[in-house]
Amino acid sequence: REKEIIQNLSFYFSPVILDKIRTPLSSILGFTNLIARDDIDSELKKLYSVYIENSSRSLVQSIDDFVDFTLLNMGMLSLEYSYFRLDHMFEELFRDLKQQRRVYERLSVGLFNRTPDEFTGIEVYGDEQRVRQIVSRLTGYLLARSEKGILEIGFQPLDETGIRFFIRATRVKKLKEKFLSNRSYRNHTSSKSSIIFPEYMLVRSLIELMDGELSIVAYEKEGIMFSVILPMKYFVPENIMDKEVNADEI
């Protein structure tokens, strides 16, 4: 077990230290030096400040993810369940996604939030922080690798105890070929060849902890979709039920 933990952490940490920590650190140092120069006008300094803030957020997220992945492998990360509004969470995720589009300079990528109308106001029972983490990490990964096309996020109730979350991008040809070069990316795959990027390793481990399922679907010519099924109960507040009853009575 100890050997497996060390192996997983080494697989995860190697790409993180190169791409997820060194890159934002270099950005922060570089733009901080530029801001300190007297020959840079105020507008450019404001722009550089935005870059520094975004790089700082990215760095903090990478560190948080590594800590979470370490705790997951050591069996020390626990879930915190509560009722929360899934439609509100997706509204916040979509706002963050639009900001990420500016950061990644992917303004030609169309963004869509596919929240079902019938789920407005309905609460679900689960770990909001971890659900948000799963969707945001997979979304950010696809957005960074999409130059055109459409990227959409959404969820779909399967039954009273399950919800499917999906993140779909239509123009990620090279990424699609990379995924399809391996036969399986189900959440219980443990071979080294299935480890594609750090976020995937973290997300897969979180989904396993939540007794869920992760799959990757290729569609059309250049499309990729992450599909996540989580066993979650949902609750219809009384005020929504009253509105439905009153509408039927009318």
Side-chain angles (χ1 to χ4, degrees):
R1 173 61 179 168
E2 182 178 348
K3 182 179 180 181
E4 181 183 354
I5 292 175
I6 294 175
Q7 185 180 41
N8 286 338
L9 292 179
S10 65
F11 288 157
Y12 183 95
F13 192 68
S14 296
V16 168
I17 197 66
L18 292 175
D19 298 328
K20 301 296 182 178
I21 294 180
R22 188 175 64 183
T23 300
L25 271 178
S26 299
S27 176
I28 292 169
L29 291 173
F31 286 115
T32 299
N33 290 332
L34 288 174
I35 287 178
R37 289 172 50 176
D38 295 332
D39 58 336
I40 302 295
D41 60 54
S42 59
E43 291 301 318
L44 274 178
K45 287 186 177 182
K46 289 180 180 179
L47 179 62
Y48 295 159
S49 296
V50 173
Y51 290 156
I52 291 173
E53 180 181 358
N54 291 331
S55 295
S56 300
R57 291 179 183 274
S58 176
L59 180 59
V60 171
Q61 176 179 297
S62 296
I63 294 173
D64 287 343
D65 285 353
F66 179 69
V67 171
D68 287 342
F69 188 74
T70 302
L71 293 175
L72 278 165
N73 276 270
M74 296 178 66
M76 298 175 61
L77 192 145
S78 58
L79 300 174
E80 298 181 4
Y81 288 92
S82 64
Y83 283 106
F84 64 94
R85 288 273 300 269
L86 200 55
D87 57 326
H88 284 177
M89 189 191 77
F90 265 76
E91 289 174 3
E92 295 172 0
L93 285 170
F94 194 67
R95 284 196 295 268
D96 293 342
L97 181 59
K98 288 191 288 186
Q99 182 178 359
Q100 280 184 306
R101 180 172 61 175
R102 292 193 295 270
V103 173
Y104 291 140
E105 298 181 348
R106 297 293 189 266
L107 298 180
S108 58
V109 178
L111 304 177
F112 293 92
N113 179 6
R114 304 298 189 189
T115 299
D117 293 336
E118 63 270 22
F119 244 56
T120 301
I122 294 179
E123 297 180 333
V124 298
Y125 187 69
D127 190 322
E128 180 178 5
Q129 178 185 352
R130 300 309 172 188
V131 174
R132 183 190 300 270
Q133 192 173 16
I134 289 169
V135 176
S136 65
R137 299 306 185 265
L138 294 177
T139 302
Y141 182 79
L142 286 184
L143 177 62
R145 286 150 184 83
S146 299
E147 296 183 357
K148 296 180 180 179
I150 292 173
L151 193 153
E152 55 186 2
I153 61 175
F155 59 90
Q156 177 185 17
L158 300 178
D159 50 45
E160 293 185 354
T161 59
I163 297 176
R164 182 177 74 93
F165 301 86
F166 62 86
I167 305 97
R168 180 162 47 206
T170 62
R171 297 290 297 274
V172 281
K173 183 177 181 180
K174 292 182 179 180
L175 181 61
K176 177 178 178 179
E177 293 172 351
K178 183 177 181 180
F179 279 120
L180 294 185
S181 65
N182 293 271
R183 293 183 177 180
S184 175
Y185 289 99
R186 309 297 287 190
N187 61 329
H188 290 294
T189 303
S190 60
S191 63
K192 182 178 178 180
S193 62
S194 70
I195 299 174
I196 311 166
F197 54 98
E199 295 93 332
Y200 180 84
M201 297 174 63
L202 172 64
V203 165
R204 187 182 64 187
S205 297
L206 284 172
I207 293 172
E208 288 178 348
L209 182 65
M210 301 171 74
D211 295 324
E213 178 182 329
L214 168 65
S215 59
I216 300 172
V217 181
Y219 72 101
E220 297 179 355
K221 293 183 178 180
E222 301 177 354
I224 284 289
M225 180 177 70
F226 292 115
S227 176
V228 178
I229 298 176
L230 297 177
M232 302 177 68
K233 296 181 180 180
Y234 59 84
F235 169 74
V236 182
E238 291 183 2
N239 61 328
I240 294 180
M241 295 180 66
D242 292 341
K243 290 180 181 179
E244 292 177 351
V245 172
N246 293 334
D248 290 339
E249 291 177 349
I250 293 173

